[in-house]
Amino acid sequence: MNELQIFNHNGVFVADSREVADMVGKRHSDLLESIEVYLAAIGQNGDFRSDDFFIESSYVAGTGKPYKRYLLTRKGCDMVANKMTGEKGVLFTAAYVTKFEQMEKELNAPKQPQLPQTYAEALRQLADTWEQNQTLLPKAEAHD
């Protein structure tokens, strides 16, 4: 089983339906049909937004022809995984939960300040900070 790739699409972490189909041993066209059934049910209920689960997208095949795909959010992956049984379903669930969790941890990790490693770097950092501070001061104070 390949490692699932999670990526940022307009601020939302998603997985590509082609990869999901591959991971669960399903033809991509069959997964698309299943997703469209889910979307029809979601669309009939005003409490849910389809884009919270599946984002319609496309890709260009090697032939240059565009094809439909969906980008699955974490909720979309949950929905697909909940409909599956067997070893492939369990492995897909484990893979996507792990990847989404990993991406969230990386996103929420506190940024460590970069300390200068040499005297020259420290002087450059001090000069840069001084220049930035000067742009923040009112004009009269900047020349004092």
Side-chain angles (χ1 to χ4, degrees), residues 70-126:
Y70 284 98
L71 303 178
L72 286 72
T73 66
R74 186 174 191 151
K75 287 182 179 182
C77 287
D78 277 339
M79 186 168 290
V80 168
N82 285 333
K83 299 294 183 186
M84 298 174 54
T85 59
E87 182 179 343
K88 287 187 179 186
V90 170
L91 293 175
F92 170 66
T93 302
Y96 90 80
V97 167
T98 300
K99 282 304 252 183
F100 272 97
E101 185 177 85
Q102 183 181 48
M103 293 294 286
E104 288 168 352
K105 280 182 183 176
E106 288 174 17
L107 183 66
N108 294 326
K111 303 288 186 231
Q112 295 296 322
Q114 295 296 320
L115 296 176
Q117 299 299 308
T118 66
Y119 185 69
E121 286 178 14
L123 288 174
R124 276 193 290 276
Q125 187 176 356
L126 178 62

